[in-house]
Amino acid sequence: MNTAEIADLQKQFLIPTYAPQLALVKGSGTKVWDADGKEYLDFLAGIAVLNVGHCHPNVVKAVQDQAATLMHVSNLYYNEKQPQLAKALAEKAGGGKCFFCNSGAEANEGLIKLARLWGSDKGKFEVVTMKNSFHGRTLATLTATGQDKVQKGFYPLPEGFAYAEFNNLESVKTAITEKTAAVLVEAVQGEGGIIPADSEFIAGLRTLCDEKNILLLFDEVQAGIGRTGKWFGFQNYDVQPDAFSLAKALGNGFPIGAVVASPEVADTFQPGNHATTFGGTPLACAAALAVLETIEQENLLENAKAMGTLLLEKLQVIADQYDWIECARGTGLMVGLVLNDSALPLQKKLQEKGLLTLATAVRVLRILPPLNVTVEDVEKAVALIEDACSELDSL
Ligand SMILES: *Cc1c(COP(=O)(O)O)cnc(C)c1O
């Protein structure tokens, strides 16, 4: 099928929650191809999912082998891949235990339930989240998301959430009451426009939560699994969360999410408190184990840091040339080019030129390449961005 045929079929049979422009049919590393044979350099990576690139042979092999051995057993039974993956994640996180699920929203839902159950004998249930955050699209997580646009039309929202300004400790202090069980934060707001948290803010949150006996929760769904040059975004700060969520890149495209909780709070959940049919299947865990091993074997944390620095420097040079580009900002390979106005024309022009990115928070071009990008990939992408900016400037 060509793009037009696929679009026509989709229009007839899919609930129109999405508005895609491009039909992708094949991928390899940092490249993808559309249904009409055109090649793209993928600097979006399925929105921070494909951290080891499209169809990495290690992940493909792990999925193929596991699919032919045992795909699913139900959590009524042990499956060795699940504690193996949990151990690998706990070691990287500095301790803790895991609960596996299937998506970012479900992982955050797990964090919220963990906080509520932990607070239930203390009279605490409220979760303070940040304005401009993003935590998912289920009812609880869209309520946690501090953005009207995702909540509009879905009232009444579940109770038990309060909002504070990101990077404003005083605002969090004001939002906390004796009913507050947890503060939930992203180390780098992704969907909100690639806004890294300030070090003082994160350090202040840890102190504040300790003083008030409140859990500090990180949503690591986008920033986690090496994206920022550390295994988890909070590791760019000198803090240890009480629990955090993972999803997106954990399976590199194979759906899997996780709640990782510190040893002190992990056993809050006991048999019967929380569950999900597909959580931590042998297949999903095999994919995730291959992802973690690949990041280690190929030194992708170091590469993400080095390539992120290079990309940021080169984008800042472009930003300095045009008065309609404010700046480039980010951490590791979570990078944003901040414009004065909508980033959509730039995203579209780049797509025409064969570079995939995403306009976010209206005026931010979100750039999230696979962690194994090369200097050549970065230079090629920057050259395309330079071209596109110069063409838009002359309009
Ligand atoms: C994508 C994202 C989510 C939601 O994940 P889904 O898998 O789409 O449910 C939650 N939090 C953050 C920070 C995200 O980037």
Side-chain angles (χ1 to χ4, degrees), residues 103-105 108 134-136 186 219 221-222 247-248:
S103 70
N108 287 330
F134 186 79
H135 300 299
E186 292 159 90
D219 179 342
V221 170
Q222 188 164 156
K248 288 198 165 88

Side-chain angles (χ1 to χ4, degrees), residues 9 185 187 202 277:
L9 193 63
V185 69
I202 297 296
T277 297

Side-chain angles (χ1 to χ4, degrees), residues 18-68:
Y18 311 107
Q21 303 292 319
L22 202 58
L24 298 175
V25 295
K26 195 175 75 170
S28 175
T30 52
K31 295 198 180 86
V32 277
W33 289 267
D34 73 15
D36 305 324
K38 183 173 166 181
E39 182 181 300
Y40 300 83
L41 186 56
D42 187 358
F43 268 42
L44 186 58
I47 319 188
V49 166
L50 300 148
N51 281 11
V52 301
H54 289 274
C55 301
H56 192 290
N58 295 357
V59 181
V60 171
K61 183 166 193 322
V63 169
Q64 284 176 338
D65 288 352
Q66 190 61 49

Side-chain angles (χ1 to χ4, degrees), residues 145-168:
T145 296
Q147 298 191 53
D148 293 339
K149 72 170 192 209
V150 309
Q151 298 176 348
K152 210 174 147 225
F154 298 109
Y155 308 115
L157 301 179
E159 285 180 60
F161 293 89
Y163 308 95
E165 296 282 341
F166 186 59
N167 279 337
N168 181 337

Side-chain angles (χ1 to χ4, degrees), residues 166-183:
F166 186 59
N167 279 337
N168 181 337
L169 196 60
E170 280 310 310
S171 168
V172 179
K173 274 185 194 160
T174 310
I176 288 173
T177 69
E178 69 276 10
K179 296 196 176 79
T180 307
V183 173

Side-chain angles (χ1 to χ4, degrees), residues 190-206:
E191 150 83 17
I194 312 289
I195 310 174
D198 299 336
S199 307
E200 311 81 70
F201 179 63
I202 297 296
L205 281 184
R206 183 65 276 178

